[in-house]
Amino acid sequence: MADVSVEIPSPLSECITFCEVVCVRECCGIDAVSTDPAVVEAWCRQVGSTAVVEARLQLAELIEVVKDRSHRVTSTFLNHRTPDDAARRQLLDFLAALEAGLAAGDAS
């Protein structure tokens, strides 16, 4: 099984950095990032709807890459890799929670 390295483009990367309030990604990976809708919505209000729509499109593309079980996913930015199904599920759950927050922020 091949490894696929994914980049997290802006503005999605900016959203993730904004939500990095629990710890730092270099230490705790995706566990450092809050997916609390209130935190994500705060970023949405700060950047405006154009950036939120773009971030949601980037996130949808990322989710599709992660869902593809024909390869392992590695992200230096997120400090996360998917060597097994549990790690893949953890990443997908994180991305889904982020998407829910972005959707709520996009609607407000």
Side-chain angles (χ1 to χ4, degrees):
M1 184 181 298
D3 283 339
V4 172
S5 179
V6 294
E7 298 297 322
I8 311 299
S10 178
L12 180 57
S13 61
E14 293 170 10
C15 174
I16 292 168
T17 300
F18 181 90
C19 296
E20 186 179 333
V21 296
V22 179
C23 190
V24 293
R25 285 172 285 117
E26 292 81 3
C27 175
C28 294
I30 60 177
D31 291 334
V33 181
S34 172
T35 56
D36 181 324
V39 176
V40 180
E41 287 177 45
W43 178 81
C44 293
R45 284 190 303 277
Q46 179 178 313
V47 300
S49 64
T50 301
V52 174
V53 168
E54 187 173 347
R56 289 184 71 191
L57 292 171
Q58 293 168 340
L59 184 56
E61 290 176 10
L62 178 58
I63 289 170
E64 288 306 310
V65 171
V66 175
K67 281 183 178 179
D68 183 350
R69 287 182 152 55
S70 69
H71 55 259
R72 290 180 297 266
V73 175
T74 301
S75 172
T76 302
F77 179 81
L78 295 174
N79 188 18
H80 192 86
R81 49 187 311 268
T82 61
D84 56 33
D85 284 338
R88 187 179 307 272
R89 174 56 35 213
Q90 181 186 22
L91 182 54
L92 285 170
D93 289 347
F94 166 77
L95 297 174
L98 197 56
E99 169 55 29
L102 287 172
D106 197 21
S108 54

